[in-house]
Amino acid sequence: MSDERLPRYQRLRDAIAERIAENAWRAGEAIPTEAELAKTHKVAVGTVRKAIDVLVADGLLERQQGRGTFVRRPSFQNSLFRFFRHQGRSGEQQIPESRILERKSQHPIPGHVIEALKLPKSAKAIRLSRLRLFGDAPFLLEEIWLPHARFARLLNASEAEIGPLLYPAYERLCGEIIARAEEVLMVDTAGERDSRLLGVAEQAPIVRIERLAFGFDNKPVEWRRSHGLATTFRYQVEIR
Amino acid sequence: MSDERLPRYQRLRDAIAERIAENAWRAGEAIPTEAELAKTHKVAVGTVRKAIDVLVADGLLERQQGRGTFVRRPSFQNSLFRFFRHQGRSGEQQIPESRILERKSQHPIPGHVIEALKLPKSAKAIRLSRLRLFGDAPFLLEEIWLPHARFARLLNASEAEIGPLLYPAYERLCGEIIARAEEVLMVDTAGERDSRLLGVAEQAPIVRIERLAFGFDNKPVEWRRSHGLATTFRYQVEIR
DNA sequence: AAGTGGTCTAGACCACCCC
DNA sequence: GGGTGGTCTAGACCACTTT
Protein backbone atom coordinates (compact mmCIF):
# COMPACT_ATOMS: atom_id res chain seq x y z
CA MET A 1 0.00 0.00 0.00
CA SER A 2 2.55 2.48 1.21
CA ASP A 3 5.12 3.96 -1.13
CA GLU A 4 8.15 1.72 -1.28
CA ARG A 5 10.56 4.66 -1.33
CA LEU A 6 9.41 6.18 1.94
CA PRO A 7 11.54 5.63 5.06
CA ARG A 8 10.64 2.47 6.95
CA TYR A 9 9.50 4.26 10.04
CA GLN A 10 7.03 6.27 7.98
CA ARG A 11 5.65 3.16 6.32
CA LEU A 12 5.36 1.54 9.73
CA ARG A 13 3.65 4.65 11.10
CA ASP A 14 1.11 4.46 8.27
CA ALA A 15 0.56 0.77 8.87
CA ILE A 16 -0.14 1.33 12.56
CA ALA A 17 -2.39 4.31 11.88
CA GLU A 18 -4.35 2.17 9.43
CA ARG A 19 -4.91 -0.59 11.98
CA ILE A 20 -6.26 2.02 14.36
CA ALA A 21 -8.44 3.64 11.71
CA GLU A 22 -10.01 0.30 10.77
CA ASN A 23 -10.57 -0.42 14.46
CA ALA A 24 -8.40 -3.54 14.51
CA TRP A 25 -6.67 -2.06 17.55
CA ARG A 26 -9.33 -0.35 19.60
CA ALA A 27 -9.25 2.79 21.62
CA GLY A 28 -8.02 2.16 25.15
CA GLU A 29 -6.31 -1.11 24.27
CA ALA A 30 -2.60 -1.78 24.03
CA ILE A 31 -0.97 -2.26 20.65
CA PRO A 32 1.67 -5.01 20.27
CA THR A 33 4.94 -4.39 22.09
CA GLU A 34 7.80 -2.66 20.35
CA ALA A 35 9.73 -5.91 20.21
CA GLU A 36 6.82 -7.71 18.55
CA LEU A 37 6.28 -4.95 16.01
CA ALA A 38 9.98 -5.01 15.22
CA LYS A 39 9.83 -8.74 14.61
CA THR A 40 6.66 -8.81 12.52
CA HIS A 41 7.73 -5.85 10.40
CA LYS A 42 11.33 -6.99 10.20
CA VAL A 43 12.88 -3.74 11.42
CA ALA A 44 14.98 -2.78 14.42
CA VAL A 45 13.33 -1.70 17.65
CA GLY A 46 14.71 1.81 17.21
CA THR A 47 12.78 2.14 13.99
CA VAL A 48 9.58 1.02 15.69
CA ARG A 49 10.17 3.59 18.40
CA LYS A 50 10.54 6.32 15.85
CA ALA A 51 7.26 5.37 14.16
CA ILE A 52 5.49 5.33 17.50
CA ASP A 53 7.09 8.68 18.45
CA VAL A 54 5.30 10.29 15.54
CA LEU A 55 1.94 8.74 16.40
CA VAL A 56 2.29 9.82 20.02
CA ALA A 57 3.04 13.36 18.88
CA ASP A 58 -0.05 13.21 16.67
CA GLY A 59 -2.13 12.14 19.65
CA LEU A 60 -3.14 8.72 18.32
CA LEU A 61 -1.08 6.70 20.77
CA GLU A 62 -0.07 7.04 24.38
CA ARG A 63 2.92 5.43 26.04
CA GLN A 64 2.91 4.08 29.57
CA GLN A 65 6.26 2.97 30.83
CA GLY A 66 6.29 -0.60 32.01
CA ARG A 67 2.74 -1.23 30.75
CA GLY A 68 2.62 -0.76 27.03
CA THR A 69 1.55 1.60 24.27
CA PHE A 70 -2.15 2.33 24.04
CA VAL A 71 -4.56 3.68 21.47
CA ARG A 72 -5.63 6.98 22.89
CA ARG A 73 -9.26 7.31 23.75
CA PRO A 74 -10.03 10.95 23.24
CA SER A 75 -11.51 12.12 26.47
CA PHE A 76 -14.34 14.41 25.68
CA GLN A 77 -15.22 14.52 29.32
CA ASN A 78 -12.20 16.66 29.76
CA SER A 79 -12.22 18.89 26.78
CA LEU A 80 -15.70 19.15 25.41
CA PHE A 81 -17.54 18.83 28.56
CA ARG A 82 -16.32 21.49 30.84
CA PHE A 83 -18.68 24.07 29.50
CA PHE A 84 -20.89 25.07 32.25
CA ARG A 85 -20.48 26.63 35.58
CA HIS A 86 -22.92 24.31 37.23
CA GLN A 87 -20.39 21.64 37.94
CA GLY A 88 -17.95 22.25 40.78
CA ARG A 89 -15.11 24.69 40.43
CA SER A 90 -12.49 22.02 39.96
CA GLY A 91 -12.43 18.49 38.65
CA GLU A 92 -15.76 16.94 39.39
CA GLN A 93 -18.21 16.94 36.57
CA GLN A 94 -21.66 15.62 36.64
CA ILE A 95 -23.14 14.55 33.36
CA PRO A 96 -26.19 16.61 32.53
CA GLU A 97 -29.52 15.05 31.74
CA SER A 98 -30.34 14.59 28.12
CA ARG A 99 -33.79 14.82 26.57
CA ILE A 100 -34.09 13.92 22.91
CA LEU A 101 -36.75 16.08 21.28
CA GLU A 102 -36.57 14.81 17.73
CA ARG A 103 -34.84 11.96 15.97
CA LYS A 104 -35.48 11.19 12.34
CA SER A 105 -34.03 10.54 8.96
CA GLN A 106 -34.26 13.58 6.78
CA HIS A 107 -33.91 14.56 3.16
CA PRO A 108 -32.97 16.94 1.69
CA ILE A 109 -30.19 18.06 4.02
CA PRO A 110 -29.19 21.70 4.53
CA GLY A 111 -26.31 22.76 2.31
CA HIS A 112 -23.91 23.65 5.12
CA VAL A 113 -24.34 20.14 6.60
CA ILE A 114 -23.74 18.42 3.27
CA GLU A 115 -20.63 20.51 2.88
CA ALA A 116 -19.32 19.97 6.40
CA LEU A 117 -19.86 16.20 6.34
CA LYS A 118 -18.78 15.92 2.71
CA LEU A 119 -21.89 13.94 1.80
CA PRO A 120 -23.15 13.37 -1.72
CA LYS A 121 -26.17 15.54 -2.51
CA SER A 122 -28.44 12.52 -2.69
CA ALA A 123 -27.44 11.17 0.73
CA LYS A 124 -29.81 10.85 3.65
CA ALA A 125 -28.92 12.09 7.08
CA ILE A 126 -30.16 11.70 10.63
CA ARG A 127 -31.18 14.80 12.51
CA LEU A 128 -31.26 14.78 16.29
CA SER A 129 -32.53 17.55 18.43
CA ARG A 130 -31.66 17.39 22.08
CA LEU A 131 -32.09 19.43 25.23
CA ARG A 132 -29.66 19.18 28.09
CA LEU A 133 -30.51 20.04 31.64
CA PHE A 134 -29.21 20.04 35.16
CA GLY A 135 -32.16 18.94 37.20
CA ASP A 136 -35.03 20.96 35.82
CA ALA A 137 -32.85 23.73 34.42
CA PRO A 138 -32.23 23.55 30.68
CA PHE A 139 -28.99 25.13 29.55
CA LEU A 140 -28.16 23.75 26.12
CA LEU A 141 -30.13 23.07 22.96
CA GLU A 142 -28.42 20.92 20.36
CA GLU A 143 -29.05 20.13 16.73
CA ILE A 144 -27.03 17.17 15.51
CA TRP A 145 -26.55 15.77 12.00
CA LEU A 146 -25.13 12.34 11.16
CA PRO A 147 -24.70 10.38 7.91
CA HIS A 148 -27.62 7.96 7.72
CA ALA A 149 -25.55 5.09 6.35
CA ARG A 150 -23.23 4.76 9.30
CA PHE A 151 -25.64 5.67 12.08
CA ALA A 152 -28.88 3.96 11.07
CA ARG A 153 -29.00 1.92 14.28
CA LEU A 154 -29.33 5.10 16.26
CA LEU A 155 -32.85 5.54 14.90
CA ASN A 156 -34.14 2.30 16.40
CA ALA A 157 -32.34 2.38 19.73
CA SER A 158 -34.38 3.36 22.77
CA GLU A 159 -33.52 6.57 24.54
CA ALA A 160 -32.30 4.52 27.49
CA GLU A 161 -29.92 2.59 25.25
CA ILE A 162 -28.48 5.82 23.96
CA GLY A 163 -27.95 7.31 27.37
CA PRO A 164 -26.81 10.78 28.35
CA LEU A 165 -23.64 10.88 26.22
CA LEU A 166 -23.71 10.49 22.48
CA TYR A 167 -20.10 9.65 21.69
CA PRO A 168 -20.04 6.50 23.78
CA ALA A 169 -23.37 5.59 22.17
CA TYR A 170 -21.89 6.04 18.70
CA GLU A 171 -19.17 3.63 19.67
CA ARG A 172 -21.48 1.12 21.35
CA LEU A 173 -24.25 1.08 18.79
CA CYS A 174 -22.56 2.02 15.54
CA GLY A 175 -18.86 1.26 16.05
CA GLU A 176 -17.92 4.82 15.27
CA ILE A 177 -15.24 6.47 17.40
CA ILE A 178 -14.75 10.21 17.55
CA ALA A 179 -11.07 11.09 17.49
CA ARG A 180 -11.07 14.88 17.47
CA ALA A 181 -13.28 17.85 16.80
CA GLU A 182 -13.14 21.42 15.63
CA GLU A 183 -15.30 24.00 17.30
CA VAL A 184 -16.25 27.56 16.56
CA LEU A 185 -17.84 29.67 19.26
CA MET A 186 -19.78 32.87 18.89
CA VAL A 187 -22.35 34.95 20.69
CA ASP A 188 -25.82 35.22 19.22
CA THR A 189 -29.28 36.23 20.35
CA ALA A 190 -32.12 33.90 21.27
CA GLY A 191 -34.75 33.13 18.66
CA GLU A 192 -38.28 31.97 19.42
CA ARG A 193 -37.35 28.31 19.80
CA ASP A 194 -34.32 29.09 21.99
CA SER A 195 -36.44 31.35 24.11
CA ARG A 196 -39.13 28.74 24.61
CA LEU A 197 -36.88 25.76 25.32
CA LEU A 198 -34.11 27.44 27.27
CA GLY A 199 -36.39 29.75 29.18
CA VAL A 200 -34.83 33.09 28.32
CA ALA A 201 -36.17 36.25 26.75
CA GLU A 202 -36.08 36.56 22.99
CA GLN A 203 -33.04 38.57 21.91
CA ALA A 204 -31.21 37.57 25.09
CA PRO A 205 -27.55 36.68 24.43
CA ILE A 206 -26.83 33.00 23.85
CA VAL A 207 -23.67 31.16 22.94
CA ARG A 208 -23.59 29.33 19.66
CA ILE A 209 -21.13 26.47 19.28
CA GLU A 210 -20.62 24.73 15.96
CA ARG A 211 -18.71 21.52 16.10
CA LEU A 212 -17.41 19.23 13.40
CA ALA A 213 -16.25 15.88 14.77
CA PHE A 214 -13.87 13.50 12.99
CA GLY A 215 -13.10 9.78 13.18
CA PHE A 216 -9.64 8.23 13.33
CA ASP A 217 -9.67 8.08 9.55
CA ASN A 218 -9.83 11.87 9.64
CA LYS A 219 -13.21 11.99 7.93
CA PRO A 220 -16.00 14.19 9.27
CA VAL A 221 -18.63 12.17 11.09
CA GLU A 222 -20.90 14.53 12.99
CA TRP A 223 -21.94 18.14 12.65
CA ARG A 224 -23.50 19.83 15.64
CA ARG A 225 -24.83 23.25 16.48
CA SER A 226 -25.51 24.04 20.11
CA HIS A 227 -27.20 27.02 21.65
CA GLY A 228 -26.24 27.65 25.26
CA LEU A 229 -27.37 29.90 28.04
CA ALA A 230 -24.91 32.77 28.06
CA THR A 231 -25.27 33.53 31.73
CA THR A 232 -23.89 30.26 32.98
CA PHE A 233 -21.61 29.55 30.07
CA ARG A 234 -17.97 28.78 30.65
CA TYR A 235 -15.60 27.26 28.15
CA GLN A 236 -12.13 26.05 28.92
CA VAL A 237 -9.38 25.11 26.48
CA GLU A 238 -5.73 24.39 26.41
CA ILE A 239 -3.86 25.85 23.47
CA ARG A 240 -0.59 24.45 22.21
CA MET B 1 24.06 23.37 36.71
CA SER B 2 21.69 20.68 35.56
CA ASP B 3 20.55 17.90 37.84
CA GLU B 4 22.95 14.99 37.67
CA ARG B 5 20.16 12.45 37.77
CA LEU B 6 18.40 13.66 34.67
CA PRO B 7 18.86 11.76 31.41
CA ARG B 8 21.84 12.94 29.39
CA TYR B 9 19.81 14.13 26.46
CA GLN B 10 17.81 16.36 28.79
CA ARG B 11 20.92 17.84 30.34
CA LEU B 12 22.30 18.40 26.88
CA ARG B 13 19.03 19.99 25.79
CA ASP B 14 19.24 22.36 28.76
CA ALA B 15 22.84 23.17 27.99
CA ILE B 16 22.03 24.05 24.38
CA ALA B 17 18.95 26.05 25.38
CA GLU B 18 21.11 27.98 27.81
CA ARG B 19 23.67 28.88 25.15
CA ILE B 20 20.83 30.18 23.02
CA ALA B 21 19.22 32.04 25.91
CA GLU B 22 22.48 33.81 26.75
CA ASN B 23 22.87 34.63 23.07
CA ALA B 24 26.14 32.74 22.67
CA TRP B 25 24.60 31.11 19.62
CA ARG B 26 22.57 33.75 17.86
CA ALA B 27 19.33 33.51 15.97
CA GLY B 28 19.88 32.54 12.36
CA GLU B 29 23.30 31.04 13.00
CA ALA B 30 24.24 27.38 12.95
CA ILE B 31 25.06 25.59 16.16
CA PRO B 32 27.98 23.12 16.22
CA THR B 33 27.46 19.93 14.24
CA GLU B 34 26.01 16.88 15.90
CA ALA B 35 29.37 15.15 15.76
CA GLU B 36 31.10 18.07 17.49
CA LEU B 37 28.47 18.29 20.20
CA ALA B 38 28.78 14.56 20.75
CA LYS B 39 32.53 14.91 21.15
CA THR B 40 32.55 17.95 23.43
CA HIS B 41 29.78 16.59 25.64
CA LYS B 42 31.13 13.05 25.55
CA VAL B 43 27.92 11.39 24.45
CA ALA B 44 26.89 9.39 21.40
CA VAL B 45 25.54 11.15 18.33
CA GLY B 46 22.16 9.51 18.88
CA THR B 47 21.90 11.24 22.22
CA VAL B 48 22.73 14.59 20.65
CA ARG B 49 20.04 13.99 18.06
CA LYS B 50 17.48 13.31 20.72
CA ALA B 51 18.34 16.52 22.56
CA ILE B 52 18.08 18.48 19.32
CA ASP B 53 14.79 16.72 18.48
CA VAL B 54 13.25 18.21 21.57
CA LEU B 55 14.53 21.69 20.85
CA VAL B 56 13.27 21.49 17.29
CA ALA B 57 9.85 20.41 18.54
CA ASP B 58 9.92 23.32 20.97
CA GLY B 59 10.71 25.67 18.11
CA LEU B 60 14.14 26.82 19.31
CA LEU B 61 16.12 25.10 16.60
CA GLU B 62 15.62 24.29 12.96
CA ARG B 63 17.32 21.54 10.99
CA GLN B 64 18.44 21.86 7.42
CA GLN B 65 19.63 18.68 5.87
CA GLY B 66 23.13 18.96 4.48
CA ARG B 67 23.65 22.46 5.91
CA GLY B 68 23.41 22.32 9.66
CA THR B 69 21.16 23.05 12.62
CA PHE B 70 20.20 26.66 13.14
CA VAL B 71 18.87 28.79 15.95
CA ARG B 72 15.41 29.72 14.83
CA ARG B 73 14.79 33.29 13.95
CA PRO B 74 11.72 34.32 15.91
CA SER B 75 8.94 34.16 13.36
CA PHE B 76 5.74 36.10 13.75
CA GLN B 77 3.66 33.85 11.61
CA ASN B 78 4.21 30.42 12.99
CA SER B 79 5.21 30.39 16.55
CA LEU B 80 3.07 32.62 18.65
CA PHE B 81 0.44 33.88 16.39
CA ARG B 82 -1.59 30.77 16.89
CA PHE B 83 -2.77 32.11 20.20
CA PHE B 84 -4.72 34.77 18.50
CA ARG B 85 -8.05 33.08 18.13
CA HIS B 86 -10.43 35.84 17.25
CA GLN B 87 -10.97 35.76 13.56
CA GLY B 88 -12.02 38.48 11.25
CA ARG B 89 -15.26 37.85 9.40
CA SER B 90 -13.49 36.43 6.41
CA GLY B 91 -11.78 33.67 8.35
CA GLU B 92 -8.26 34.74 7.53
CA GLN B 93 -6.28 36.16 10.33
CA GLN B 94 -4.86 39.56 9.82
CA ILE B 95 -2.88 41.18 12.58
CA PRO B 96 -4.96 43.84 14.27
CA GLU B 97 -3.62 47.18 15.33
CA SER B 98 -2.53 47.53 18.89
CA ARG B 99 -2.78 50.61 21.07
CA ILE B 100 -1.20 50.48 24.50
CA LEU B 101 -3.25 52.50 26.96
CA GLU B 102 -1.27 51.95 30.14
CA ARG B 103 2.04 50.36 31.00
CA LYS B 104 3.45 50.49 34.49
CA SER B 105 4.93 48.62 37.37
CA GLN B 106 2.40 48.04 40.07
CA HIS B 107 2.23 46.98 43.67
CA PRO B 108 0.31 45.49 45.35
CA ILE B 109 -0.96 43.01 42.80
CA PRO B 110 -4.50 41.62 42.78
CA GLY B 111 -4.79 38.30 44.56
CA HIS B 112 -5.98 36.32 41.56
CA VAL B 113 -2.92 37.45 39.56
CA ILE B 114 -0.51 36.52 42.34
CA GLU B 115 -2.16 33.16 42.52
CA ALA B 116 -2.21 32.54 38.78
CA LEU B 117 1.41 33.56 38.25
CA LYS B 118 2.54 31.92 41.47
CA LEU B 119 4.34 35.08 42.60
CA PRO B 120 5.49 35.80 46.14
CA LYS B 121 3.23 38.30 47.87
CA SER B 122 5.96 40.93 47.92
CA ALA B 123 6.66 40.72 44.19
CA LYS B 124 6.15 43.56 41.76
CA ALA B 125 4.33 43.10 38.49
CA ILE B 126 3.86 44.96 35.25
CA ARG B 127 0.37 45.83 34.18
CA LEU B 128 -0.40 46.52 30.55
CA SER B 129 -3.67 47.74 29.22
CA ARG B 130 -4.17 47.50 25.50
CA LEU B 131 -6.83 48.14 22.91
CA ARG B 132 -6.89 46.21 19.66
CA LEU B 133 -8.56 47.46 16.53
CA PHE B 134 -9.16 46.67 12.91
CA GLY B 135 -8.80 50.00 11.21
CA ASP B 136 -10.71 52.38 13.43
CA ALA B 137 -12.93 49.71 14.93
CA PRO B 138 -11.95 48.54 18.41
CA PHE B 139 -12.94 44.98 19.21
CA LEU B 140 -10.83 43.84 22.14
CA LEU B 141 -9.72 45.36 25.40
CA GLU B 142 -6.92 43.58 27.21
CA GLU B 143 -5.47 43.71 30.69
CA ILE B 144 -2.13 41.94 30.94
CA TRP B 145 -0.01 41.09 33.99
CA LEU B 146 3.64 40.04 33.91
CA PRO B 147 6.26 39.35 36.59
CA HIS B 148 8.35 42.52 36.90
CA ALA B 149 11.63 40.67 37.32
CA ARG B 150 11.61 38.94 33.97
CA PHE B 151 9.90 41.64 31.92
CA ALA B 152 11.43 44.89 33.19
CA ARG B 153 12.75 45.78 29.75
CA LEU B 154 9.22 46.00 28.46
CA LEU B 155 8.70 49.15 30.51
CA ASN B 156 11.40 51.13 28.72
CA ALA B 157 10.85 49.93 25.18
CA SER B 158 9.06 52.24 22.81
CA GLU B 159 5.66 51.23 21.52
CA ALA B 160 7.18 50.83 18.07
CA GLU B 161 9.76 48.42 19.45
CA ILE B 162 7.03 46.34 21.01
CA GLY B 163 4.95 46.19 17.87
CA PRO B 164 1.50 44.73 17.31
CA LEU B 165 2.18 41.31 18.83
CA LEU B 166 3.30 40.84 22.38
CA TYR B 167 4.68 37.31 22.34
CA PRO B 168 7.34 38.03 19.73
CA ALA B 169 8.18 41.15 21.76
CA TYR B 170 8.58 39.06 24.91
CA GLU B 171 11.00 36.89 23.02
CA ARG B 172 12.88 39.74 21.37
CA LEU B 173 13.15 42.04 24.36
CA CYS B 174 13.05 39.74 27.35
CA GLY B 175 14.09 36.32 26.01
CA GLU B 176 10.86 34.79 27.24
CA ILE B 177 9.13 32.31 24.98
CA ILE B 178 5.50 31.33 25.38
CA ALA B 179 4.96 27.63 24.87
CA ARG B 180 1.28 27.07 25.61
CA ALA B 181 -1.70 28.67 27.24
CA GLU B 182 -4.94 27.86 29.01
CA GLU B 183 -8.01 29.89 28.26
CA VAL B 184 -11.42 30.23 29.82
CA LEU B 185 -14.22 31.96 27.95
CA MET B 186 -17.45 33.36 29.24
CA VAL B 187 -20.10 35.88 28.37
CA ASP B 188 -20.40 39.00 30.47
CA THR B 189 -21.94 42.44 30.19
CA ALA B 190 -20.13 45.65 29.40
CA GLY B 191 -19.08 47.92 32.23
CA GLU B 192 -18.44 51.64 31.94
CA ARG B 193 -14.88 51.25 30.72
CA ASP B 194 -15.79 48.52 28.22
CA SER B 195 -18.62 50.67 26.97
CA ARG B 196 -16.43 53.72 26.48
CA LEU B 197 -13.46 51.99 24.85
CA LEU B 198 -15.22 49.37 22.77
CA GLY B 199 -18.08 51.62 21.77
CA VAL B 200 -21.01 49.54 22.93
CA ALA B 201 -23.90 50.23 25.26
CA GLU B 202 -23.42 49.47 28.93
CA GLN B 203 -24.89 46.06 29.79
CA ALA B 204 -24.39 44.92 26.21
CA PRO B 205 -23.04 41.36 26.01
CA ILE B 206 -19.27 41.03 25.78
CA VAL B 207 -16.99 38.03 25.75
CA ARG B 208 -14.51 37.63 28.55
CA ILE B 209 -11.40 35.57 27.94
CA GLU B 210 -8.97 34.76 30.71
CA ARG B 211 -5.67 33.34 29.60
CA LEU B 212 -2.75 31.95 31.53
CA ALA B 213 0.33 31.51 29.37
CA PHE B 214 3.28 29.22 30.20
CA GLY B 215 6.94 29.08 29.21
CA PHE B 216 8.80 26.01 28.10
CA ASP B 217 9.69 25.38 31.71
CA ASN B 218 5.98 24.98 32.31
CA LYS B 219 5.84 27.93 34.67
CA PRO B 220 3.13 30.57 34.32
CA VAL B 221 4.47 33.71 32.71
CA GLU B 222 1.56 35.91 31.71
CA TRP B 223 -1.99 36.40 32.90
CA ARG B 224 -4.41 38.16 30.63
CA ARG B 225 -8.04 39.14 30.71
CA SER B 226 -9.63 40.28 27.48
CA HIS B 227 -13.02 41.79 26.87
CA GLY B 228 -14.25 41.34 23.33
CA LEU B 229 -17.11 42.65 21.27
CA ALA B 230 -19.71 39.91 21.29
CA THR B 231 -21.22 40.81 17.94
CA THR B 232 -18.17 40.06 15.82
CA PHE B 233 -16.62 37.51 18.11
CA ARG B 234 -15.56 34.15 16.74
CA TYR B 235 -13.41 31.64 18.54
CA GLN B 236 -12.02 28.58 16.89
CA VAL B 237 -10.41 25.57 18.54
CA GLU B 238 -9.33 22.10 17.73
CA ILE B 239 -9.99 19.54 20.42
CA ARG B 240 -8.16 16.26 20.80
C1' DA C 1 10.88 -12.57 38.10
C1' DA C 2 9.23 -11.30 33.73
C1' DG C 3 7.81 -7.92 30.60
C1' DT C 4 7.26 -3.25 29.17
C1' DG C 5 8.88 1.22 27.54
C1' DG C 6 13.12 4.72 28.33
C1' DT C 7 17.91 5.77 27.69
C1' DC C 8 22.32 5.23 25.49
C1' DT C 9 25.91 3.51 22.63
C1' DA C 10 28.83 2.86 18.28
C1' DG C 11 28.69 2.14 14.24
C1' DA C 12 26.84 1.96 9.03
C1' DC C 13 25.07 3.93 4.94
C1' DC C 14 22.14 7.45 2.52
C1' DA C 15 20.44 12.17 0.78
C1' DC C 16 21.48 16.61 0.41
C1' DC C 17 24.31 21.05 0.19
C1' DC C 18 28.24 23.57 -1.08
C1' DC C 19 32.74 24.28 -2.79
C1' DG D 1 34.67 15.42 -2.50
C1' DG D 2 33.94 16.63 2.10
C1' DG D 3 30.65 17.89 5.46
C1' DT D 4 26.00 18.04 7.09
C1' DG D 5 21.78 16.00 8.86
C1' DG D 6 18.49 11.58 8.03
C1' DT D 7 17.76 6.70 8.46
C1' DC D 8 18.69 2.25 10.41
C1' DT D 9 20.80 -1.39 12.97
C1' DA D 10 21.90 -4.46 17.11
C1' DG D 11 22.78 -4.53 21.22
C1' DA D 12 23.20 -2.96 26.41
C1' DC D 13 21.33 -1.45 30.60
C1' DC D 14 17.75 1.18 33.39
C1' DA D 15 13.02 2.36 35.42
C1' DC D 16 8.68 1.02 35.98
C1' DT D 17 4.53 -2.20 36.23
C1' DT D 18 2.53 -6.50 36.84
C1' DT D 19 2.43 -11.27 38.32
Side-chain angles (χ1 to χ4, degrees), chain A residues 7 9 14 42 46 60 82 91 135 148 156 165 172 176 195 201 235:
Chain A
Y9 78 92
D14 293 341
K42 298 199 173 71
L60 259 70
R82 310 181 200 159
H148 185 107
N156 306 318
L165 292 175
R172 228 168 32 243
E176 298 283 345
S195 159
Y235 185 85

Side-chain angles (χ1 to χ4, degrees), chain A residues 7-23:
Chain A
R8 296 190 191 181
Y9 78 92
Q10 284 188 26
R11 278 180 278 159
L12 182 50
R13 183 248 293 155
D14 293 341
I16 296 174
E18 201 182 327
R19 301 285 280 169
I20 296 172
E22 70 195 21
N23 227 335

Side-chain angles (χ1 to χ4, degrees), chain B residues 88-104:
Chain B
R89 293 128 196 275
S90 55
E92 334 160 5
Q93 301 192 334
Q94 13 173 189
I95 300 178
E97 266 180 80
S98 166
R99 198 175 294 165
I100 294 180
L101 307 175
E102 279 180 297
R103 175 170 40 148
K104 58 182 178 190

Side-chain angles (χ1 to χ4, degrees), chain B residues 7-9 42-44 47 50 65-67:
Chain B
R8 296 190 190 180
Y9 78 92
K42 299 199 172 71
V43 295
T47 305
K50 185 148 186 180
Q65 181 169 145
R67 302 219 313 128

Side-chain angles (χ1 to χ4, degrees), chain B residues 12-43:
Chain B
L12 182 51
R13 183 248 292 155
D14 292 341
I16 297 174
E18 202 182 327
R19 302 284 281 167
I20 297 171
E22 69 195 20
N23 231 335
W25 297 336
R26 302 216 201 127
E29 289 178 2
I31 67 170
T33 67
E34 299 180 347
E36 275 179 65
L37 288 169
K39 207 169 164 188
T40 60
H41 288 82
K42 299 199 172 71
V43 295

